Amino acid sequence: MEPVTLTTERLVLRPFRPSDAPAVHAACQDPDILRWTTVPAPYERAHAEDFVRRTCPEGWRNDSSYNFAVVTRDVGELIGAMGLVRLGRLRGPEHQAELGYWTAREHRRRGYTGEAARAVAEWAFTGLGVERLEWCTEAGNEASRAVALAVGFRMEGTDRARIVREGTRRDAWRGALLPSDWGLPSATPYLPAPAAHPA
């Protein structure tokens, strides 16, 4: 996939650049990002350099992940990261991807993350043919769940012992967004399960 750039009212979502490394490193010192995401802890400058110089470009080249730097339109300040990950089932009959994100502490509670997530989801549905967009986080990550709900993800349950962190298996919350949730078409017809009848 050739990297793309998306724009919203307040944001530009573009491929990461080497010059983003200092801002990524600074943002990932936040205990909440270290607690709830898969970034290394402690997060060193070398991790940021590797992320922007190797991980992100390789993800676009080999279609394993499409990561965007979320920056403000006015001054280009880094807000966070937003990406489509787990793309192994994107080209198969499932046409599926997962949305992941983190937001720098000083830019939270302004609606930026939801704005960026809606842009990536729309591109996934209309540009990539995604028919099921998943969201998953460790159970307890209320901030990530609030963003997912605001974007329109429907919570589908708790997966027991899905995430392994620091040698411990932990439960995960899972949700999904379908094109039909936004009134968009899907190439593959969807046959939902019939409503359950009361016993």
Side-chain angles (χ1 to χ4, degrees):
M1 167 69 68
E2 284 295 317
V4 303
T5 296
L6 309 173
T7 57
T8 70
E9 181 181 351
R10 299 179 294 168
L11 304 170
V12 175
L13 286 72
R14 57 161 176 77
F16 276 93
R17 303 168 181 163
S19 59
D20 293 319
V24 170
H25 176 250
C28 290
Q29 301 309 302
D30 174 35
D32 287 336
I33 291 177
L34 295 172
R35 169 66 183 88
W36 297 113
T37 73
T38 59
V39 302
Y43 195 82
E44 300 174 357
R45 177 63 180 264
H47 294 126
E49 293 284 352
D50 187 62
F51 179 70
V52 300
R53 292 177 183 273
R54 184 190 61 80
T55 302
C56 293
E58 283 184 4
W60 286 96
R61 276 197 301 271
N62 63 26
D63 295 316
S64 60
S65 61
Y66 303 147
N67 282 300
F68 294 92
V70 181
V71 301
T72 57
R73 286 186 71 164
D74 52 1
V75 297
E77 185 176 4
L78 183 73
I79 298 295
M82 179 78 53
L84 295 178
V85 298
R86 305 188 199 289
L87 298 179
R89 291 186 284 177
L90 175 60
R91 307 297 178 204
E94 299 91 349
H95 300 295
Q96 188 170 304
E98 183 178 319
L99 184 70
Y101 43 84
W102 56 256
T103 306
R105 177 182 289 278
E106 62 271 22
H107 297 296
R108 294 175 193 155
R109 296 181 174 80
R110 300 182 191 178
Y112 286 138
T113 312
E115 187 174 325
R118 282 185 283 275
V120 172
E122 182 177 8
W123 173 66
F125 292 148
T126 61
L128 298 178
V130 169
E131 296 181 357
R132 176 179 165 86
L133 185 58
E134 291 193 333
W135 162 89
C136 180
T137 190
E138 185 180 328
N141 189 350
E142 296 286 355
S144 182
R145 185 175 186 270
V147 170
L149 287 169
V151 171
F153 281 81
R154 296 189 187 180
M155 297 299 111
E156 295 182 335
T158 300
D159 293 346
R160 296 184 305 147
R162 176 170 176 164
I163 295 173
V164 178
R165 181 182 176 88
E166 298 174 351
T168 303
R169 287 198 169 272
R170 303 172 187 228
D171 294 346
W173 288 337
R174 176 179 33 82
L177 183 67
L178 308 179
S180 57
D181 295 333
W182 283 5
L184 296 172
S186 179
T188 308
Y190 171 39
L191 180 62
H197 297 290

